[in-house]
Amino acid sequence: MMNWTKCALGLTAMIAFTSFAQAGEVLDKVMADKTMIVATNSEYPPASYLNSEGKFDGFDVDVAKELAKRLGVQATFINPAWEAITSGKWGGRWQMAIGSMTPTPARAQVLDFPAVYYFTPAAFYVHQKASYESLKDLNGKKIGASAGSTYESYLNKTLKLDEAYSPPFDYLVEPGEIRTYETDTNAMDDLRLGDGVRLDAGISSVPNIHEAIKNNYPLRILGEPVFFEPLAVVVAKGDKEFSQKTGAIVEEMRADGTLKALSIKWFGADLVSTKAK
């Protein structure tokens, strides 16, 4: 007859041992397999996307490849749902996420952010033929932003970025009316109709604005960026050594100019140098 008390105690010990072992396993597994599985996006050019050959490409992908190279392993890529990445419930399916994720206090409850590797600057844009010369000229105007975005929060003066990662910022525009859209592109579509036809201005990320201009939208950026949104390398909680090693490599890439060079390659600008004070 089985001794259920001893069985239960043994099972409890096994569970405890397994949990403890898993807590430090990630770096060992990556080094043993010589492969690091990286979760990223497939529809977010030029940060990460599938190129004409069906392969992952972009700034995030190049950062991941270089990080893996310095770790002495090969990077492979998968494209899970964003909600799966942010949930922290990775279940060993991937070891790292490099997909332009903003660290937030809520996400920090289930994920670790070893290092911020670049910042997305947010700026106001106007029609190419508009007469505005400075941001104060936008006070009282109709300004568009994507609904639920950090840009809408900035217009509403409710934007909260983690002070541990983000440079301080000020609210420099007093909108007369805030118009929200499903996407940034929808707002740009309204503004391309002409200055003041439906919108007077919009706010988005500088890379998004540059991409629109490259695609013949008659827009221009007005003034300097008003805030910088930090984007971080992400690992699951539980392996301090892996997190610290990752963070150290990213800082090496920043110090030797690799991140800056990749940023200029993909964005045409240095989006790396801004640092939280």
Side-chain angles (χ1 to χ4, degrees), residues 14 22 49 52 55 62 71 74 102 122 136 178 185 216 223 257:
M14 183 177 69
Q22 288 177 341
Y49 63 100
S52 58
K55 296 180 179 179
D62 276 359
L71 196 57
Q74 183 87 20
T102 301
K136 67 180 181 180
I178 299 171
T185 302
N216 299 315

Side-chain angles (χ1 to χ4, degrees), residues 170-183:
D170 296 311
Y171 296 108
L172 301 177
V173 174
E174 294 280 353
E177 180 184 347
I178 299 171
R179 294 191 175 181
T180 58
Y181 296 81
E182 185 176 351
T183 68

Side-chain angles (χ1 to χ4, degrees), residues 213-255:
I213 293 171
K214 189 170 74 174
N215 286 292
N216 299 315
Y217 277 68
L219 309 174
R220 63 181 173 89
I221 291 175
L222 184 66
E224 296 295 320
V226 290
F227 68 88
F228 291 82
E229 193 166 4
L231 292 312
V233 171
V234 188
V235 299
K237 284 190 174 296
D239 193 329
K240 185 178 180 180
E241 186 179 0
F242 184 51
S243 183
Q244 290 178 339
K245 184 69 173 178
T246 299
I249 292 175
V250 173
E251 291 310 317
E252 285 177 6
M253 293 167 62
R254 188 194 316 282

